[in-house]
Amino acid sequence: MLAPAHAFDGLSLASDQTNHKIESIRKILLKKSWFGFDLDDTLHGFRKASRAASSTVFELISQTCEATIEELRTTYSTILSQKTSNAFTDGKSSDIYRKERFSALMKAHSIGFTDTTLDQLAAAYKSSLESSLEVKPGAVSLLRRLKHIGKKVAIVTEGPEDAQKWTLEKLGIASYVDVLITSNRFGKTKMDGLFGLALKHLEINAQDVVYIGDSLEKDIYPARAEGILTIAFNETLSVVLDVTDLRVDSLRKLETILRS
């Protein structure tokens, strides 16, 4: 049964045209044995959770110094850009990365601290992060559907290996994932060869997989460069039902295509 046109509201297409495109895309997707996903801001709202966790840290630090929360946030933003520019390819743990950032923040504001201080801040950050984690609407249902129809699921993401494993577990979706591939473990960013390494690690061809991610620059373009079919997912995108440039604004719509 084809998807009703109202499932893709916003498309300037007649119902029969929309359904024809959906059916063509569905057939292509069902031929793929692997479905790859980015993790942060694709399967869960990382930016929102990270901002909440960072705010918890800023509040704690501000209680011991004259710097305001906004001043700490501004400084931290610069530090974050500098400290994460290598996409965690040097293999450290998430705890070490976080403590390095908090240490740099306090040094920038001439705030004294000890190892115990860093331990407390890292623990507070992790606790707040956990309480703020939320899967994207439709993510669990989509993953469940993929496993039901016999597809393999790979997460190809930039970030500390331990943190990404922890995130999958806390989100309750680890059981749907067959393989986790991170920049932290493989030593490459997405823009510097991670997708090619992923194909080699999985022992598959680019034609065997479709990859879904929220960033055109870090997800879609590098995956396409390896010959991988891509689906850009972001709530701000307009839906495009063109197999050369597939775009959806919800994971539920992607599941609708698979169920059509």
Side-chain angles (χ1 to χ4, degrees):
M1 179 178 179
L2 294 180
H6 65 72
F8 290 88
D9 288 342
L11 290 178
S12 57
L13 294 167
S15 177
D16 57 343
Q17 291 176 308
T18 301
N19 283 330
H20 177 73
K21 286 177 175 286
I22 292 171
E23 177 64 11
S24 298
I25 293 167
R26 184 184 73 86
K27 289 179 179 179
I28 292 170
L29 293 181
L30 290 180
K31 290 180 181 179
K32 305 297 182 181
S33 55
W34 283 86
F35 278 66
F37 291 87
D38 174 46
L39 179 57
D40 296 340
D41 292 310
T42 297
L43 292 178
H44 81 106
F46 175 73
R47 288 186 183 89
K48 180 180 178 181
S50 177
R51 183 177 178 84
S54 298
S55 293
T56 297
V57 171
F58 303 152
E59 184 174 349
L60 290 173
I61 294 176
S62 69
Q63 294 172 3
T64 65
C65 68
E66 295 182 358
T68 67
I69 290 177
E70 284 307 311
E71 288 172 338
L72 292 170
R73 190 187 306 280
T74 298
T75 303
Y76 189 74
S77 179
T78 300
I79 291 169
L80 193 62
S81 297
Q82 296 170 343
K83 295 287 187 180
T84 61
S85 61
N86 70 348
F88 311 100
T89 54
D90 50 2
K92 300 175 190 175
S93 71
S94 58
D95 190 63
I96 291 175
Y97 287 123
R98 289 166 187 167
K99 288 178 180 178
E100 286 179 346
R101 297 197 295 265
F102 301 152
S103 172
L105 176 60
M106 288 186 285
K107 287 179 180 178
H109 287 274
S110 302
I111 303 169
F113 62 91
T114 64
D115 288 343
T116 299
T117 306
L118 294 177
D119 289 340
Q120 292 171 339
L121 293 177
Y125 180 94
K126 188 173 183 179
S127 177
S128 178
L129 186 66
E130 180 177 357
S131 64
S132 302
L133 287 175
E134 289 184 313
V135 292
K136 290 279 188 174
V140 174
S141 180
L142 173 59
L143 292 169
R144 186 182 297 123
R145 178 64 182 170
L146 290 174
K147 302 312 291 183
H148 177 72
I149 60 177
K151 302 303 181 182
K152 297 282 190 180
V153 173
I155 302 296
V156 182
T157 183
E158 293 180 343
E161 178 96 357
D162 66 314
Q164 303 302 58
K165 285 182 178 179
W166 177 85
T167 298
L168 289 171
E169 292 169 359
K170 295 302 179 182
L171 289 170
I173 59 176
S175 62
Y176 298 111
V177 177
D178 295 285
V179 179
L180 171 64
I181 294 174
T182 67
S183 57
N184 187 240
R185 176 184 173 193
F186 285 82
K188 291 285 186 179
T189 69
K190 289 176 179 175
M191 299 174 67
D192 192 33
L194 184 60
F195 286 107
L197 289 176
L199 293 175
K200 291 180 181 179
H201 179 72
L202 298 175
E203 298 183 337
I204 60 174
N205 297 316
Q207 293 72 27
D208 298 324
V209 61
V210 56
Y211 185 77
I212 300 97
D214 68 292
S215 170
L216 295 177
E217 181 181 0
K218 292 185 178 181
D219 294 317
I220 304 306
Y221 299 151
R224 281 185 191 169
E226 293 290 343
I228 296 170
L229 177 67
T230 63
I231 301 176
F233 159 59
N234 191 304
E235 291 90 345
T236 65
L237 293 175
S238 296
V239 176
V240 177
L241 297 178
D242 180 341
V243 74
T244 64
D245 187 26
L246 285 169
R247 302 184 183 208
V248 295
D249 57 5
S250 81
L251 295 176
R252 290 194 178 102
K253 287 181 180 176
L254 180 52
E255 184 184 0
T256 297
I257 293 174
L258 292 170
R259 286 183 176 274
S260 299

